[in-house]
Amino acid sequence: MKTKPKYNSDLILNGNMVQAILSIAIPVVINSFLQTMYNLTDTYWLGKIGTEQLAAINLVTPVQNIILNFGTGITVAGSVLIAQYVGAKDIENAKSMANQIFACAMIFAFACAGGCFLATPAIVSWLGADGATYQYGKTYLQIVVLDMPLLYTINIYNAIRQAQGDTVRPMLLNLLGIIINMILDPLFMVVFDLNVTGAALATLLAKLPSALIAIWALTRPDRTVRLDLRHIRFEREKLMSIFRVGLPTAIGGSTMQLGFLLMSKNVYKYGTEAMAAYGIGNKVNGLITLPSNGIGSAVATIVGQNVGARQLDRAEHGYKLSRNISVVFLFAGGLILSRAPISESIVSIFSDDPAVVAMAADFLSIMAFWCWTNGIYNATSGLFQGTGHTEVTMLVDASRLWIFRFLTLFICESVFHMGVRSIWYSVVVSNGISASILYVLYRFKIWKKPALKKPVGQQG
């Protein structure tokens, strides 16, 4: 195998583990931050325009996420399987898998973009939106779903690079997109007075240059793992591997997002202020937990390559170290961000409405205090994903929303009569329970069992 230092493969398989974790996780964290900034930029400017616009986007965003998370199963499968081939030094199969993943993702993206565009009016109406909220939500969703082919092109690029240990280039690619989005948002929304339409168009157009660069980079003949668009042909064995690893992630992710959608309906009954507060709190909490998400991605890559190289002890060592770093970091950070003056200052950036600020600050304080459980959850999810046991994360993801969150919500609302705070506590309780379950499953050594009938390295 032609190993290049920037891909970190030698470091992942043989080098200092802390250095390997940080070299992958830090760019992933920055990359995730940049992706989060797409929505945060919209949230900031819409918050300045009005609460109804902000509530409309928060209401329909889970619909977009349901589709995106289902398709993410394809890219997760690609990243895991390519990483295992790279660890096994089987570059030809890694290259072939990259082509299979790209073809599957593009078919899915174009089909879903068209279907969701047509179904948007019925979806927004089902969510309970009416009047201006309905119109804003419909307009925004119909435009942003059209970016799916662009987004999946970028995601495939990220998956192929990350599988090889290269997380810097995906970070730089997304930096380009967020810079363009930050310029276009105020230009379209304020200068051209396009309101919600401007926010959606800015998000769509910002992804176009990054997608074009991703295609160019992935088809360069000097790349070790690359796309060859002229010779893409489906291989049954690899498609079954993608299906086996990716479908559980797709089902788990989309089922979880459907749960978020129903949660949005529960929040909306408390009014547009509560809906706006819920959206702000979730987005800011997403920033807080970015290090945990980045470390989870690093675990998946490190475990995937070491499993491919038959180094299970090193894979487990990488997981344990990553989990402990994540928990300590989130615990310390959560203690600071959960203080009322700090949480109020943060959420007030996104809204001038006193009612929205008060509710969002309360939500953020509660989530920040308990965010350390995400360290366990994300690192252990990365362990199971890296070994191909995505059915485990699927079941836990689904249970987190459909059992633990809704059950906690019902008890808090019906038994303790906690009002809108029932929503806040249902989030942290369900996250904590799910993290505990994943940790127990790790202790049962399920991740060490072969996930594929024919292990990577023996496939031809």
Side-chain angles (χ1 to χ4, degrees):
M1 184 179 74
K2 214 174 161 182
T3 303
K4 298 183 180 181
K6 64 187 176 222
Y7 288 157
N8 296 320
S9 291
D10 285 339
L11 183 62
I12 290 169
L13 296 174
N14 307 301
N16 180 277
M17 186 57 73
V18 173
Q19 188 180 348
I21 293 167
L22 295 179
S23 68
I24 299 173
I26 290 175
V28 169
V29 169
I30 297 172
N31 191 16
S32 298
F33 172 76
L34 296 175
Q35 290 178 329
T36 303
M37 286 300 295
Y38 278 115
N39 283 333
L40 280 177
T41 304
D42 290 346
T43 300
Y44 174 81
W45 288 107
L46 286 169
K48 300 301 179 185
I49 293 173
T51 299
E52 276 190 332
Q53 290 91 331
L54 187 57
I57 286 189
N58 291 334
L59 185 65
V60 300
T61 295
V63 178
Q64 181 189 15
N65 290 342
I66 289 172
I67 303 167
L68 294 179
N69 273 265
F70 193 89
T72 297
I74 300 172
T75 55
V76 167
S79 184
V80 169
L81 294 169
I82 292 170
Q84 292 188 8
Y85 281 126
V86 170
K89 304 188 186 303
D90 188 351
I91 295 303
E92 284 306 310
N93 271 314
K95 189 188 304 182
S96 174
M97 181 61 73
N99 283 270
Q100 307 292 305
I101 293 291
F102 181 77
C104 291
M106 288 302 102
I107 292 171
F108 175 85
F110 278 102
C112 284
C116 190
F117 180 87
L118 296 175
T120 289
I123 292 171
V124 179
S125 179
W126 174 76
L127 286 170
D130 53 17
T133 304
Y134 168 84
Q135 192 58 46
Y136 291 140
K138 179 175 78 71
T139 300
Y140 183 81
L141 186 59
Q142 281 191 318
I143 296 173
V144 294
V145 295
L146 298 179
D147 79 354
M148 289 187 64
L150 304 176
L151 180 61
Y152 275 106
T153 299
I154 297 167
N155 286 349
I156 292 298
Y157 174 84
N158 293 347
I160 292 173
R161 288 288 182 255
Q162 184 174 322
Q164 300 170 81
D166 176 16
T167 53
V168 174
R169 282 177 174 77
M171 176 193 71
L172 296 175
L173 191 67
N174 280 290
L175 176 60
L176 172 65
I178 186 57
I179 290 173
I180 295 172
N181 191 54
M182 292 180 72
I183 294 170
L184 294 182
D185 255 342
L187 180 65
F188 287 170
M189 295 168 65
V190 179
V191 178
F192 295 158
D193 196 25
L194 294 177
N195 208 302
V196 168
T197 302
L201 284 174
T203 300
L204 172 65
L205 295 176
K207 291 186 175 70
L208 181 58
S210 298
L212 293 175
I213 293 172
I215 284 290
W216 170 78
L218 287 172
T219 54
R220 287 179 60 182
D222 61 331
R223 297 300 180 193
T224 306
V225 179
R226 65 182 183 273
L227 298 180
D228 189 346
L229 302 181
R230 296 171 301 172
H231 299 100
I232 289 181
R233 59 183 181 83
F234 290 111
E235 300 177 36
R236 184 179 180 277
E237 195 172 86
K238 287 187 172 60
L239 289 177
M240 292 305 295
S241 295
I242 295 169
F243 182 82
R244 167 68 183 79
V245 176
L247 185 62
T249 299
I251 294 174
S254 57
T255 302
M256 184 174 65
Q257 290 299 328
L258 179 58
F260 287 144
L261 186 64
L262 296 180
M263 283 292 292
S264 295
K265 286 193 71 174
N266 278 282
V267 178
Y268 193 62
K269 70 185 179 184
Y270 290 104
T272 55
E273 290 86 0
M275 190 70 239
Y278 179 67
I280 292 172
N282 271 328
K283 288 181 174 67
V284 176
N285 185 63
L287 285 175
I288 297 170
T289 56
L290 279 181
S292 174
N293 297 336
I295 287 177
S297 294
V299 171
T301 300
I302 290 168
V303 169
Q305 288 203 20
N306 279 285
V307 167
R310 306 292 186 266
Q311 298 180 160
L312 293 185
D313 288 343
R314 183 171 173 81
E316 185 173 18
H317 173 59
Y319 156 70
K320 288 180 178 179
L321 196 55
S322 301
R323 182 195 66 209
N324 295 341
I325 291 171
S326 187
V327 169
V328 170
F329 181 87
L330 289 179
F331 182 76
L335 284 179
I336 297 170
L337 294 170
S338 63
R339 301 304 90 194
I342 296 176
S343 60
E344 287 173 7
S345 299
I346 292 172
V347 300
S348 63
I349 296 172
F350 302 99
S351 178
D352 299 323
D353 189 323
V356 172
V357 170
M359 282 189 284
D362 185 42
F363 184 26
L364 179 58
S365 293
I366 294 169
M367 286 197 298
F369 185 79
W370 293 102
C371 70
W372 59 270
T373 62
N374 288 49
I376 300 172
Y377 185 89
N378 289 326
T380 313
S381 291
L383 172 69
F384 284 112
Q385 286 181 349
T387 56
H389 285 287
T390 50
E391 75 283 353
V392 173
T393 55
M394 174 194 73
L395 292 172
V396 176
D397 275 345
S399 300
R400 179 162 67 116
L401 267 294
W402 290 97
I403 299 177
F404 308 128
R405 188 158 300 181
F406 284 114
L407 180 60
T408 304
L409 178 61
F410 173 79
I411 292 172
C412 289
E413 283 186 331
S414 303
V415 178
F416 297 114
H417 306 290
M418 295 171 62
V420 73
R421 293 193 98 199
S422 303
I423 306 289
W424 313 161
Y425 279 100
S426 70
V427 173
V428 296
V429 170
S430 59
N431 287 349
I433 293 173
S434 299
S436 301
I437 290 172
L438 275 176
Y439 181 73
V440 169
L441 292 175
Y442 152 71
R443 298 291 296 179
F444 276 114
K445 308 290 185 185
I446 294 173
W447 66 276
K448 288 189 173 182
K449 298 177 181 178
L452 300 173
K453 290 182 179 178
K454 195 174 184 182
V456 164
Q458 298 177 20
Q459 296 183 20

